[in-house]
Amino acid sequence: MSEVWTPTRAAGLDRIAAFQPRMGRAYAAVRNTDFGPGRQEAVSQLSPWVRRRLVTEEELARAALEAHGPRAAEKFVQEVIWRTYWKGWLEMRPEVWTRYVAERDAALAKVEANAGLRTALTQAVEGRTGIEGFDDWARELVEIGWLHNHARMWFASIWIFTLRLPWTLGADFFLRHLMDGDPASNTLSWRWVAGLQTQGKTYLATASNIEQFTEGRFRPSGLAKVAEPLSEAPIPAARALPSAAGQTPDGPQLLLITAEDLSPESLIGPWEMAGVVLASEPGTATSGEVARVFLGGAMDDAAARAEARYRQPVQRLPGLEPEALIAAAQAAGVTAIVTSYAPVGPTAEALARARPVLAAQGMELVQVRRDWDEAMWPLATKGFFPFKEKAPTVLRMLGLPA
Ligand SMILES: Cc1cc2nc3c(=O)[nH]c(=O)nc-3n(C[C@H](O)[C@H](O)[C@H](O)COP(=O)(O)OP(=O)(O)OC[C@H]3O[C@@H](n4cnc5c(N)ncnc54)[C@H](O)[C@@H]3O)c2cc1C
Protein backbone atom coordinates (compact mmCIF):
# COMPACT_ATOMS: atom_id res chain seq x y z
CA MET A 1 0.00 0.00 0.00
CA SER A 2 1.52 3.30 -1.08
CA GLU A 3 2.20 5.90 1.57
CA VAL A 4 -0.45 8.17 0.04
CA TRP A 5 -3.14 5.70 1.03
CA THR A 6 -2.18 4.69 4.57
CA PRO A 7 -5.42 3.17 5.88
CA THR A 8 -5.44 4.56 9.40
CA ARG A 9 -7.50 7.20 11.19
CA ALA A 10 -4.28 9.05 12.04
CA ALA A 11 -3.33 9.26 8.34
CA GLY A 12 -6.88 10.47 7.53
CA LEU A 13 -6.61 13.23 10.13
CA ASP A 14 -3.17 14.20 8.78
CA ARG A 15 -4.63 14.41 5.30
CA ILE A 16 -7.48 16.64 6.52
CA ALA A 17 -4.94 18.93 8.15
CA ALA A 18 -2.73 18.99 5.06
CA PHE A 19 -5.62 19.71 2.68
CA GLN A 20 -7.40 22.19 4.99
CA PRO A 21 -5.69 25.28 3.50
CA ARG A 22 -7.02 24.24 0.06
CA MET A 23 -10.65 23.58 1.13
CA GLY A 24 -11.71 27.16 0.32
CA ARG A 25 -11.71 29.11 -2.95
CA ALA A 26 -8.72 27.14 -4.31
CA TYR A 27 -10.86 23.98 -4.22
CA ALA A 28 -13.78 25.65 -5.98
CA ALA A 29 -11.46 26.94 -8.71
CA VAL A 30 -9.64 23.76 -9.71
CA ARG A 31 -11.51 20.75 -8.33
CA ASN A 32 -12.83 19.76 -11.79
CA THR A 33 -9.41 19.21 -13.33
CA ASP A 34 -8.04 15.69 -13.34
CA PHE A 35 -4.28 16.26 -13.25
CA GLY A 36 -3.58 12.51 -13.37
CA PRO A 37 -2.10 9.93 -10.99
CA GLY A 38 0.33 11.34 -8.45
CA ARG A 39 -0.70 14.93 -9.28
CA GLN A 40 -4.15 15.17 -7.68
CA GLU A 41 -3.56 18.21 -5.53
CA ALA A 42 -6.81 20.02 -6.34
CA VAL A 43 -9.00 17.53 -4.48
CA SER A 44 -8.60 15.97 -1.05
CA GLN A 45 -8.55 12.25 -2.03
CA LEU A 46 -10.11 11.65 1.39
CA SER A 47 -12.96 9.48 0.09
CA PRO A 48 -11.45 6.08 1.09
CA TRP A 49 -11.15 7.24 4.72
CA VAL A 50 -14.63 8.76 4.74
CA ARG A 51 -16.12 5.65 3.16
CA ARG A 52 -14.98 3.51 6.08
CA ARG A 53 -15.53 6.33 8.53
CA LEU A 54 -11.92 6.38 9.60
CA VAL A 55 -12.75 10.08 9.45
CA THR A 56 -16.27 11.47 9.23
CA GLU A 57 -18.12 13.88 6.94
CA GLU A 58 -18.55 16.11 9.96
CA GLU A 59 -14.77 16.30 10.48
CA LEU A 60 -14.25 17.29 6.83
CA ALA A 61 -16.98 19.94 6.85
CA ARG A 62 -15.81 21.35 10.17
CA ALA A 63 -12.21 21.65 8.95
CA ALA A 64 -13.35 23.54 5.85
CA LEU A 65 -15.75 25.86 7.69
CA GLU A 66 -13.33 26.64 10.51
CA ALA A 67 -10.52 27.52 8.13
CA HIS A 68 -12.45 29.39 5.44
CA GLY A 69 -15.93 30.35 6.72
CA PRO A 70 -19.24 29.39 5.09
CA ARG A 71 -18.85 31.36 1.86
CA ALA A 72 -15.38 30.27 0.76
CA ALA A 73 -15.91 26.71 2.04
CA GLU A 74 -19.30 26.39 0.33
CA LYS A 75 -18.18 24.26 -2.61
CA PHE A 76 -16.14 21.82 -0.54
CA VAL A 77 -18.91 21.40 2.05
CA GLN A 78 -21.39 20.94 -0.78
CA GLU A 79 -19.35 18.03 -2.17
CA VAL A 80 -19.15 16.44 1.28
CA ILE A 81 -22.90 16.64 1.64
CA TRP A 82 -23.42 15.11 -1.81
CA ARG A 83 -22.19 11.95 -0.14
CA THR A 84 -24.62 12.44 2.74
CA TYR A 85 -27.45 13.19 0.31
CA TRP A 86 -26.85 9.95 -1.64
CA LYS A 87 -26.70 7.99 1.62
CA GLY A 88 -30.01 9.45 2.88
CA TRP A 89 -31.70 9.08 -0.53
CA LEU A 90 -30.84 5.37 -0.79
CA GLU A 91 -31.63 4.70 2.85
CA MET A 92 -35.21 5.72 2.18
CA ARG A 93 -35.37 3.79 -1.11
CA PRO A 94 -33.60 0.46 -0.48
CA GLU A 95 -35.33 -1.15 -3.50
CA VAL A 96 -33.02 0.86 -5.74
CA TRP A 97 -30.08 -1.10 -4.31
CA THR A 98 -31.82 -4.49 -4.44
CA ARG A 99 -32.91 -3.77 -8.00
CA TYR A 100 -29.32 -2.87 -8.94
CA VAL A 101 -28.03 -6.12 -7.41
CA ALA A 102 -30.65 -8.20 -9.28
CA GLU A 103 -29.95 -6.42 -12.61
CA ARG A 104 -26.20 -6.79 -12.13
CA ASP A 105 -26.58 -10.52 -11.51
CA ALA A 106 -28.80 -10.87 -14.56
CA ALA A 107 -26.22 -8.96 -16.65
CA LEU A 108 -23.43 -11.21 -15.33
CA ALA A 109 -25.45 -14.27 -16.37
CA LYS A 110 -25.84 -12.75 -19.85
CA VAL A 111 -22.08 -12.27 -20.04
CA GLU A 112 -21.61 -15.97 -19.31
CA ALA A 113 -23.96 -16.89 -22.15
CA ASN A 114 -22.87 -14.32 -24.73
CA ALA A 115 -19.30 -14.45 -26.10
CA GLY A 116 -19.56 -11.07 -27.85
CA LEU A 117 -20.63 -9.31 -24.68
CA ARG A 118 -17.91 -11.16 -22.75
CA THR A 119 -15.22 -9.90 -25.14
CA ALA A 120 -16.53 -6.31 -25.00
CA LEU A 121 -16.64 -6.38 -21.20
CA THR A 122 -13.14 -7.85 -20.92
CA GLN A 123 -11.73 -5.21 -23.28
CA ALA A 124 -13.39 -2.44 -21.23
CA VAL A 125 -12.18 -3.58 -17.80
CA GLU A 126 -8.69 -4.39 -19.08
CA GLY A 127 -8.39 -0.99 -20.79
CA ARG A 128 -8.16 -2.42 -24.32
CA THR A 129 -10.98 -0.60 -26.13
CA GLY A 130 -8.66 1.77 -28.00
CA ILE A 131 -10.48 4.78 -26.52
CA GLU A 132 -7.95 7.29 -25.25
CA GLY A 133 -8.48 8.19 -21.62
CA PHE A 134 -11.03 5.46 -21.02
CA ASP A 135 -8.38 2.74 -21.26
CA ASP A 136 -6.08 4.74 -18.97
CA TRP A 137 -8.82 5.19 -16.35
CA ALA A 138 -9.68 1.47 -16.45
CA ARG A 139 -6.06 0.62 -15.63
CA GLU A 140 -5.79 3.45 -13.10
CA LEU A 141 -8.87 2.14 -11.28
CA VAL A 142 -7.45 -1.38 -10.99
CA GLU A 143 -3.90 -0.29 -10.14
CA ILE A 144 -4.60 2.65 -7.81
CA GLY A 145 -8.14 1.98 -6.56
CA TRP A 146 -9.22 5.59 -6.96
CA LEU A 147 -10.31 7.92 -9.79
CA HIS A 148 -10.94 11.67 -9.96
CA ASN A 149 -14.66 12.57 -9.97
CA HIS A 150 -14.54 13.90 -13.52
CA ALA A 151 -12.81 10.73 -14.76
CA ARG A 152 -15.57 8.68 -13.09
CA MET A 153 -18.20 10.71 -14.96
CA TRP A 154 -16.43 10.40 -18.34
CA PHE A 155 -15.76 6.71 -17.79
CA ALA A 156 -19.38 5.92 -16.86
CA SER A 157 -20.70 7.96 -19.79
CA ILE A 158 -18.44 6.25 -22.35
CA TRP A 159 -19.25 2.83 -20.83
CA ILE A 160 -23.00 3.42 -21.18
CA PHE A 161 -23.39 5.52 -24.34
CA THR A 162 -20.34 4.74 -26.50
CA LEU A 163 -19.58 1.12 -25.60
CA ARG A 164 -23.25 0.41 -24.83
CA LEU A 165 -22.40 -1.96 -22.00
CA PRO A 166 -24.89 -2.61 -19.15
CA TRP A 167 -24.51 0.21 -16.59
CA THR A 168 -24.79 -2.24 -13.69
CA LEU A 169 -21.60 -4.01 -14.82
CA GLY A 170 -19.75 -0.69 -14.88
CA ALA A 171 -21.02 0.12 -11.40
CA ASP A 172 -19.91 -3.36 -10.30
CA PHE A 173 -16.42 -2.81 -11.76
CA PHE A 174 -16.15 0.44 -9.78
CA LEU A 175 -17.54 -1.02 -6.57
CA ARG A 176 -15.05 -3.87 -6.62
CA HIS A 177 -11.98 -1.74 -7.24
CA LEU A 178 -12.56 1.67 -5.66
CA MET A 179 -11.11 2.05 -2.18
CA ASP A 180 -14.10 4.32 -1.56
CA GLY A 181 -16.57 1.96 -3.30
CA ASP A 182 -19.92 2.83 -1.77
CA PRO A 183 -23.39 1.37 -2.45
CA ALA A 184 -25.03 4.82 -2.35
CA SER A 185 -22.52 7.18 -4.03
CA ASN A 186 -21.54 4.64 -6.67
CA THR A 187 -24.93 3.21 -7.63
CA LEU A 188 -26.69 6.57 -7.65
CA SER A 189 -23.91 8.35 -9.56
CA TRP A 190 -23.99 5.66 -12.27
CA ARG A 191 -27.78 6.01 -12.35
CA TRP A 192 -27.38 9.77 -12.67
CA VAL A 193 -25.03 9.44 -15.67
CA ALA A 194 -27.45 6.94 -17.26
CA GLY A 195 -30.46 9.27 -16.92
CA LEU A 196 -32.23 7.06 -14.38
CA GLN A 197 -31.62 9.14 -11.26
CA THR A 198 -32.74 12.56 -12.51
CA GLN A 199 -35.26 11.27 -14.99
CA GLY A 200 -34.38 12.13 -18.56
CA LYS A 201 -31.15 13.95 -17.64
CA THR A 202 -28.00 12.16 -18.77
CA TYR A 203 -24.30 13.01 -18.72
CA LEU A 204 -22.58 13.01 -22.11
CA ALA A 205 -18.75 12.91 -22.12
CA THR A 206 -17.24 14.97 -24.92
CA ALA A 207 -13.69 15.01 -26.32
CA SER A 208 -13.35 18.77 -25.78
CA ASN A 209 -14.43 18.61 -22.13
CA ILE A 210 -12.05 15.71 -21.49
CA GLU A 211 -9.21 17.56 -23.21
CA GLN A 212 -9.88 20.75 -21.24
CA PHE A 213 -10.11 19.09 -17.82
CA THR A 214 -7.20 16.67 -18.28
CA GLU A 215 -4.89 19.51 -19.28
CA GLY A 216 -4.71 18.11 -22.79
CA ARG A 217 -3.61 14.64 -21.70
CA PHE A 218 -6.51 12.99 -23.58
CA ARG A 219 -8.73 13.83 -26.55
CA PRO A 220 -10.59 10.64 -27.42
CA SER A 221 -12.28 10.18 -30.78
CA GLY A 222 -15.38 8.20 -31.66
CA LEU A 223 -17.41 9.08 -28.58
CA ALA A 224 -21.20 8.89 -28.70
CA LYS A 225 -22.74 12.19 -29.84
CA VAL A 226 -26.02 11.68 -28.01
CA ALA A 227 -26.92 10.18 -24.66
CA GLU A 228 -30.47 8.85 -24.73
CA PRO A 229 -31.61 8.25 -21.15
CA LEU A 230 -32.10 4.64 -20.09
CA SER A 231 -35.51 3.76 -18.71
CA GLU A 232 -36.84 1.59 -15.90
CA ALA A 233 -40.04 0.68 -14.06
CA PRO A 234 -41.10 3.36 -11.55
CA ILE A 235 -39.27 3.33 -8.23
CA PRO A 236 -41.47 2.51 -5.22
CA ALA A 237 -42.32 5.46 -2.94
CA ALA A 238 -39.73 6.44 -0.32
CA ARG A 239 -40.03 4.80 3.11
CA ALA A 240 -39.51 6.71 6.34
CA LEU A 241 -35.97 6.48 7.68
CA PRO A 242 -35.80 3.31 9.81
CA SER A 243 -35.45 4.21 13.47
CA ALA A 244 -32.15 3.71 15.27
CA ALA A 245 -30.74 4.44 18.71
CA GLY A 246 -29.16 7.87 19.22
CA GLN A 247 -26.77 6.58 21.85
CA THR A 248 -25.62 3.36 23.46
CA PRO A 249 -28.28 1.93 25.78
CA ASP A 250 -27.37 1.03 29.39
CA GLY A 251 -26.34 -2.42 30.54
CA PRO A 252 -23.61 -4.91 29.67
CA GLN A 253 -23.20 -5.55 25.97
CA LEU A 254 -21.04 -6.85 23.17
CA LEU A 255 -19.67 -4.22 20.80
CA LEU A 256 -19.80 -5.25 17.14
CA ILE A 257 -17.57 -3.22 14.79
CA THR A 258 -18.32 -3.50 11.07
CA ALA A 259 -16.59 -2.20 7.93
CA GLU A 260 -19.30 0.49 7.68
CA ASP A 261 -17.95 2.52 10.59
CA LEU A 262 -14.40 1.97 11.74
CA SER A 263 -14.39 4.70 14.40
CA PRO A 264 -16.71 3.18 17.01
CA GLU A 265 -14.93 5.04 19.80
CA SER A 266 -16.47 8.34 18.66
CA LEU A 267 -19.97 6.84 18.59
CA ILE A 268 -20.31 3.98 21.01
CA GLY A 269 -19.61 4.18 24.75
CA PRO A 270 -19.25 3.29 27.59
CA TRP A 271 -15.77 1.86 27.63
CA GLU A 272 -16.70 -1.11 29.84
CA MET A 273 -17.84 -3.44 27.09
CA ALA A 274 -18.31 -7.10 28.01
CA GLY A 275 -16.64 -7.99 24.72
CA VAL A 276 -15.60 -6.46 21.38
CA VAL A 277 -15.80 -8.18 17.99
CA LEU A 278 -14.75 -6.89 14.57
CA ALA A 279 -16.53 -8.50 11.61
CA SER A 280 -15.20 -8.62 8.05
CA GLU A 281 -17.40 -7.20 5.31
CA PRO A 282 -19.81 -9.88 4.07
CA GLY A 283 -19.86 -10.80 0.38
CA THR A 284 -17.46 -9.93 -2.38
CA ALA A 285 -18.19 -6.22 -2.99
CA THR A 286 -14.64 -5.11 -2.21
CA SER A 287 -12.79 -7.76 -4.19
CA GLY A 288 -10.26 -5.64 -6.11
CA GLU A 289 -6.76 -6.17 -4.70
CA VAL A 290 -6.02 -2.52 -3.84
CA ALA A 291 -9.45 -1.87 -2.28
CA ARG A 292 -9.19 -5.11 -0.31
CA VAL A 293 -5.76 -4.18 1.06
CA PHE A 294 -7.00 -0.70 2.06
CA LEU A 295 -10.00 -2.19 3.85
CA GLY A 296 -7.84 -4.82 5.56
CA GLY A 297 -5.48 -2.14 6.85
CA ALA A 298 -8.39 0.02 7.99
CA MET A 299 -9.83 -2.95 9.92
CA ASP A 300 -6.47 -3.57 11.61
CA ASP A 301 -6.31 0.10 12.57
CA ALA A 302 -9.86 -0.01 13.98
CA ALA A 303 -8.98 -3.14 15.99
CA ALA A 304 -5.89 -1.49 17.47
CA ARG A 305 -7.81 1.67 18.44
CA ALA A 306 -10.68 -0.36 19.89
CA GLU A 307 -8.27 -2.49 21.97
CA ALA A 308 -6.77 0.67 23.44
CA ARG A 309 -10.11 2.41 24.00
CA TYR A 310 -12.13 -0.53 25.36
CA ARG A 311 -9.12 -2.02 27.14
CA GLN A 312 -9.50 -5.60 25.93
CA PRO A 313 -8.59 -7.83 23.00
CA VAL A 314 -10.79 -7.58 19.91
CA GLN A 315 -12.08 -10.86 18.49
CA ARG A 316 -12.11 -11.06 14.68
CA LEU A 317 -15.07 -12.66 12.89
CA PRO A 318 -14.94 -13.69 9.21
CA GLY A 319 -18.42 -12.24 8.55
CA LEU A 320 -21.76 -11.56 10.18
CA GLU A 321 -23.09 -15.08 10.56
CA PRO A 322 -25.63 -15.02 13.43
CA GLU A 323 -24.21 -18.20 14.97
CA ALA A 324 -20.80 -16.54 15.42
CA LEU A 325 -22.42 -13.41 16.89
CA ILE A 326 -24.45 -15.52 19.31
CA ALA A 327 -21.35 -17.45 20.38
CA ALA A 328 -19.44 -14.20 20.97
CA ALA A 329 -22.30 -12.70 22.99
CA GLN A 330 -22.63 -15.88 25.04
CA ALA A 331 -18.90 -15.93 25.72
CA ALA A 332 -19.18 -12.32 26.93
CA GLY A 333 -22.21 -13.28 29.06
CA VAL A 334 -24.57 -10.70 27.50
CA THR A 335 -27.83 -10.65 25.56
CA ALA A 336 -27.36 -7.28 23.86
CA ILE A 337 -25.13 -6.51 20.86
CA VAL A 338 -24.50 -2.89 20.00
CA THR A 339 -23.19 -1.69 16.65
CA SER A 340 -23.14 1.42 14.45
CA TYR A 341 -26.13 1.75 12.11
CA ALA A 342 -25.29 0.04 8.83
CA PRO A 343 -26.67 1.92 5.79
CA VAL A 344 -28.12 0.09 2.77
CA GLY A 345 -25.61 -2.44 1.42
CA PRO A 346 -24.19 -5.90 2.15
CA THR A 347 -23.56 -5.26 5.87
CA ALA A 348 -27.12 -4.01 6.46
CA GLU A 349 -28.46 -7.03 4.58
CA ALA A 350 -26.41 -9.45 6.67
CA LEU A 351 -27.51 -7.74 9.91
CA ALA A 352 -31.15 -7.90 8.79
CA ARG A 353 -30.73 -11.66 8.23
CA ALA A 354 -29.05 -12.10 11.61
CA ARG A 355 -31.56 -10.09 13.65
CA PRO A 356 -34.41 -12.68 13.81
CA VAL A 357 -31.95 -15.50 14.53
CA LEU A 358 -30.49 -13.46 17.40
CA ALA A 359 -33.98 -12.59 18.63
CA ALA A 360 -34.92 -16.27 18.69
CA GLN A 361 -32.03 -16.72 21.15
CA GLY A 362 -33.29 -13.79 23.24
CA MET A 363 -30.60 -11.46 21.92
CA GLU A 364 -31.12 -7.87 20.96
CA LEU A 365 -29.21 -6.04 18.20
CA VAL A 366 -29.01 -2.29 18.83
CA GLN A 367 -27.87 -0.03 15.97
CA VAL A 368 -26.65 3.45 16.92
CA ARG A 369 -26.79 6.22 14.33
CA ARG A 370 -24.53 9.26 14.21
CA ASP A 371 -26.16 12.67 14.83
CA TRP A 372 -25.00 13.82 11.38
CA ASP A 373 -26.87 11.00 9.63
CA GLU A 374 -29.90 11.29 11.89
CA ALA A 375 -30.25 15.00 11.14
CA MET A 376 -29.35 15.00 7.43
CA TRP A 377 -30.60 11.76 5.89
CA PRO A 378 -34.35 12.45 6.34
CA LEU A 379 -33.91 15.63 4.28
CA ALA A 380 -33.01 13.65 1.14
CA THR A 381 -36.64 13.42 0.06
CA LYS A 382 -36.31 15.16 -3.31
CA GLY A 383 -33.42 16.47 -5.40
CA PHE A 384 -30.03 17.71 -4.21
CA PHE A 385 -30.94 21.39 -4.59
CA PRO A 386 -33.59 21.53 -1.82
CA PHE A 387 -31.32 19.31 0.30
CA LYS A 388 -28.35 21.64 0.10
CA GLU A 389 -30.61 24.65 0.80
CA LYS A 390 -31.58 23.12 4.15
CA ALA A 391 -28.08 21.91 5.03
CA PRO A 392 -26.62 25.07 6.65
CA THR A 393 -29.40 25.20 9.26
CA VAL A 394 -28.75 21.57 10.16
CA LEU A 395 -24.98 22.08 10.22
CA ARG A 396 -25.43 24.98 12.67
CA MET A 397 -27.73 22.80 14.79
CA LEU A 398 -24.90 20.24 14.91
CA GLY A 399 -22.56 22.98 16.14
CA LEU A 400 -20.66 23.68 12.91
CA PRO A 401 -19.85 27.29 11.97
CA ALA A 402 -21.99 27.11 8.79
C1 LIG B 1 -19.80 7.19 -11.67
C2 LIG B 1 -19.39 7.69 -10.31
C3 LIG B 1 -19.17 6.77 -9.29
C4 LIG B 1 -18.80 7.21 -8.01
N1 LIG B 1 -18.60 6.28 -7.02
C5 LIG B 1 -18.28 6.70 -5.77
C6 LIG B 1 -18.07 5.76 -4.72
O1 LIG B 1 -18.23 4.55 -4.89
N2 LIG B 1 -17.72 6.24 -3.49
C7 LIG B 1 -17.57 7.57 -3.26
O2 LIG B 1 -17.22 7.94 -2.11
N3 LIG B 1 -17.77 8.48 -4.23
C8 LIG B 1 -18.12 8.09 -5.47
N4 LIG B 1 -18.30 9.02 -6.46
C9 LIG B 1 -18.26 10.45 -6.10
C10 LIG B 1 -16.90 11.16 -6.25
O3 LIG B 1 -16.35 10.87 -7.50
C11 LIG B 1 -15.90 10.81 -5.14
O4 LIG B 1 -16.49 10.89 -3.87
C12 LIG B 1 -14.72 11.80 -5.18
O5 LIG B 1 -14.11 11.75 -6.44
C13 LIG B 1 -13.74 11.49 -4.10
O6 LIG B 1 -12.58 12.24 -4.27
P1 LIG B 1 -12.06 13.23 -3.15
O7 LIG B 1 -12.04 12.55 -1.83
O8 LIG B 1 -10.81 13.84 -3.63
O9 LIG B 1 -13.22 14.32 -3.14
P2 LIG B 1 -13.19 15.86 -2.77
O10 LIG B 1 -13.51 16.60 -4.00
O11 LIG B 1 -11.99 16.24 -2.02
O12 LIG B 1 -14.49 15.98 -1.81
C14 LIG B 1 -14.44 15.73 -0.40
C15 LIG B 1 -15.35 14.56 -0.03
O13 LIG B 1 -16.69 14.82 -0.45
C16 LIG B 1 -17.32 13.62 -0.93
N5 LIG B 1 -17.65 13.82 -2.37
C17 LIG B 1 -17.01 14.63 -3.24
N6 LIG B 1 -17.63 14.60 -4.44
C18 LIG B 1 -18.68 13.77 -4.31
C19 LIG B 1 -19.70 13.31 -5.19
N7 LIG B 1 -19.79 13.75 -6.46
N8 LIG B 1 -20.60 12.42 -4.73
C20 LIG B 1 -20.55 11.98 -3.45
N9 LIG B 1 -19.60 12.37 -2.57
C21 LIG B 1 -18.69 13.24 -2.98
C22 LIG B 1 -16.31 12.51 -0.74
O14 LIG B 1 -16.55 11.84 0.48
C23 LIG B 1 -14.98 13.26 -0.70
O15 LIG B 1 -13.98 12.59 0.01
C24 LIG B 1 -18.67 8.60 -7.76
C25 LIG B 1 -18.89 9.52 -8.80
C26 LIG B 1 -19.24 9.07 -10.06
C27 LIG B 1 -19.47 10.07 -11.14
Side-chain angles (χ1 to χ4, degrees):
M1 171 79 30
S2 107
E3 236 179 67
V4 183
W5 305 106
T6 306
T8 63
R9 170 160 167 77
L13 291 174
D14 285 350
R15 180 169 283 255
I16 292 180
F19 193 71
Q20 194 176 23
R22 279 175 280 152
M23 288 178 181
R25 297 198 202 285
Y27 175 82
V30 280
R31 67 180 193 93
N32 275 328
T33 299
D34 179 0
F35 292 99
R39 298 181 60 227
Q40 301 288 2
E41 289 180 2
V43 291
S44 71
Q45 297 195 292
L46 272 158
S47 49
W49 287 267
V50 185
R51 163 66 182 100
R52 298 299 170 187
R53 284 211 153 141
L54 290 171
V55 299
T56 62
E57 290 94 322
E58 183 167 344
E59 286 171 319
L60 264 68
R62 189 179 291 281
L65 289 164
E66 284 180 354
H68 302 280
R71 284 179 73 105
E74 187 183 357
K75 199 72 215 171
F76 185 80
V77 174
Q78 215 174 83
E79 294 308 310
V80 173
I81 66 167
W82 259 112
R83 173 183 162 75
T84 304
Y85 170 73
W86 288 139
K87 280 302 216 195
W89 195 94
L90 190 62
E91 205 52 39
M92 295 189 280
R93 297 159 187 87
E95 293 85 355
V96 171
W97 168 254
T98 41
R99 190 186 283 189
Y100 153 73
V101 171
E103 282 184 25
R104 177 204 62 196
D105 292 347
L108 284 169
K110 247 192 198 161
V111 169
E112 284 299 306
N114 180 329
L117 180 58
R118 199 157 59 239
T119 304
L121 179 67
T122 307
Q123 283 174 346
V125 300
E126 290 181 357
R128 292 190 288 106
T129 64
I131 301 175
E132 210 182 287
F134 182 94
D135 288 350
D136 302 77
W137 300 315
R139 285 193 296 269
E140 210 173 305
L141 173 63
V142 172
E143 283 163 21
I144 300 176
W146 186 88
L147 286 178
H148 187 279
N149 182 56
H150 226 154
R152 298 182 198 210
M153 290 162 62
W154 296 320
F155 187 94
S157 179
I158 295 169
W159 180 285
I160 297 168
F161 301 115
T162 300
L163 298 174
R164 302 202 155 271
L165 287 165
W167 75 269
T168 54
L169 295 185
D172 182 49
F173 179 46
F174 268 29
L175 199 58
R176 285 170 189 277
H177 290 280
L178 284 169
M179 289 183 284
D180 63 32
D182 181 80
S185 286
N186 189 56
T187 313
L188 303 183
S189 298
W190 273 87
R191 284 174 52 85
W192 176 80
V193 172
L196 296 168
Q197 190 63 19
T198 310
Q199 264 184 16
K201 195 173 174 300
T202 53
Y203 176 75
L204 180 67
T206 64
S208 60
N209 183 262
I210 294 172
E211 183 179 29
Q212 180 184 351
F213 288 102
T214 57
E215 289 201 306
R217 288 185 299 128
F218 306 118
R219 187 182 167 83
S221 52
L223 301 189
K225 294 273 181 274
V226 285
E228 283 297 324
L230 307 187
S231 60
E232 64 177 351
I235 292 168
R239 67 174 180 184
L241 192 65
S243 61
Q247 55 192 7
T248 320
D250 292 337
Q253 38 205 307
L254 177 78
L255 169 62
L256 165 64
I257 307 169
T258 73
E260 290 298 324
D261 192 319
L262 293 177
S263 295
E265 70 275 25
S266 64
L267 176 66
I268 298 175
W271 315 126
E272 294 79 33
M273 285 288 164
V276 182
V277 293
L278 172 67
S280 297
E281 191 176 51
T284 54
T286 314
S287 56
E289 171 70 6
V290 179
R292 224 172 32 73
V293 170
F294 184 90
L295 177 56
M299 305 276 285
D300 292 344
D301 180 59
R305 277 181 287 111
E307 287 190 351
R309 198 61 162 118
Y310 300 99
R311 295 189 296 267
Q312 59 182 294
V314 169
Q315 186 194 341
R316 307 287 284 248
L317 299 179
L320 287 160
E321 294 308 320
E323 294 72 23
L325 293 174
I326 291 167
Q330 283 171 341
V334 297
T335 56
I337 302 176
V338 63
T339 190
S340 63
Y341 183 86
V344 168
T347 297
E349 286 163 354
L351 288 177
R353 283 193 298 274
R355 186 186 288 277
V357 186
L358 294 171
Q361 296 291 319
M363 289 194 184
E364 189 192 5
L365 178 68
V366 181
Q367 296 202 52
V368 186
R369 197 184 280 137
R370 288 185 184 273
D371 292 345
W372 175 279
D373 301 339
E374 185 71 16
M376 302 275 265
W377 286 356
L379 305 179
T381 49
K382 298 197 181 92
F384 180 69
F385 189 75
F387 180 81
K388 88 170 180 191
E389 292 293 290
K390 291 182 210 134
T393 312
V394 180
L395 296 182
R396 284 193 290 276
M397 203 181 80
L398 292 168
L400 278 82

